[in-house]
Amino acid sequence: MAKTLQEQLLSMGLVNQKKAKKNAKELKRNEHLKRTGKGEELEDTKAAAEAALKAKTERDRELNRQKEAEAQQKAIAAQIRQLIETNASNSKGEIKYNFVDGKKVKSLYVNQAVWDRLSRGQLAIIAYDGPATDSGYRVIPLPVADKIRQRAPEHFILIAESQGEQLDEDDPYAAYQIPDDLMW
């Protein structure tokens, strides 16, 4: 008499008795569900569960991307803050240097050497968002301003345009010298 496939697998030792019973029970269950018409519902529920799992993993990926982007922005802000803190010149003085931030005219009190370098475009002014008592504007060297601009191009940085000798042929005051200490 021929043995069934299940008996053959058991005799070879590829399947144990427990697995054989479990497989037989699953087969009977599936046949019953197909006869009663609930087998399709079972497949539909499995498909819906798989679709929900796929949607959840996609949502999780998107949330992870957003968290990584936020962490990167925080890291860039910390780098900018550190660059400003380490390279800002302590140039508190009595001379008022006026500059435009957006549509408002702002001012910063600096000493004469810094005022000269700012007006020639050798130094830059940057907005600093430090602790609440220490926010405002700082004076930094141009290489540091370039590094900050590479990290965050939208960050406010003001570099005065260096104005060379612009001679106009029709200028009636061309022969007159402008004094160096003239301030507006």
Side-chain angles (χ1 to χ4, degrees), residues 3-178:
K3 292 183 178 180
T4 63
L5 178 64
Q6 186 175 9
E7 291 172 351
Q8 290 175 9
L9 291 174
L10 278 171
S11 65
M12 285 186 211
L14 297 174
V15 178
N16 60 17
Q17 190 70 26
K18 190 175 183 180
K19 278 189 177 182
K21 283 185 180 180
K22 184 178 178 183
N23 288 340
K25 191 174 184 179
E26 185 67 28
L27 266 174
K28 285 182 182 179
R29 183 174 178 268
N30 287 340
E31 288 176 7
H32 175 70
L33 289 175
K34 284 181 184 176
R35 276 193 318 260
T36 58
K38 295 182 181 178
E40 294 172 2
E41 292 175 11
L42 182 64
E43 291 174 7
D44 291 341
T45 358
K46 283 183 180 178
E50 288 175 5
L53 182 63
K54 191 175 183 180
K56 182 184 180 304
T57 56
E58 189 61 35
R59 251 191 334 265
D60 289 345
R61 282 189 197 129
E62 184 61 32
L63 285 174
N64 284 340
R65 277 189 227 120
Q66 288 176 355
K67 286 180 182 179
E68 288 174 4
E70 288 175 7
Q72 187 176 10
Q73 288 176 349
K74 285 182 181 180
I76 288 173
Q79 289 174 359
I80 289 173
R81 197 174 310 112
Q82 183 180 11
L83 281 170
I84 293 171
E85 288 173 357
T86 57
N87 296 303
S89 63
N90 189 3
S91 59
K92 299 290 182 198
E94 64 281 343
I95 301 172
K96 189 176 188 180
Y97 184 80
N98 294 322
F99 60 95
V100 178
D101 182 3
K103 293 185 177 184
K104 294 184 179 182
V105 176
K106 300 288 185 168
S107 61
L108 188 66
Y109 287 94
V110 294
N111 58 29
Q112 184 64 43
V114 172
W115 189 89
D116 290 339
R117 291 183 69 197
L118 277 170
S119 61
R120 282 187 253 135
Q122 296 173 347
L123 290 176
I125 296 176
I126 188 164
Y128 176 66
D129 298 328
T133 59
D134 199 26
S135 60
Y137 298 96
R138 298 286 186 269
V139 178
I140 57 172
L142 284 181
V144 176
D146 291 337
K147 287 180 185 178
I148 293 172
R149 191 168 275 153
Q150 288 172 356
R151 286 170 174 77
E154 71 279 353
H155 202 82
F156 173 74
I157 299 175
L158 174 87
I159 301 171
E161 296 176 11
S162 58
Q163 298 174 350
E165 293 291 324
Q166 296 176 350
L167 297 177
D168 189 9
E169 295 174 7
D170 298 331
D171 189 9
Y173 299 105
Y176 298 103
Q177 290 290 328
I178 300 174

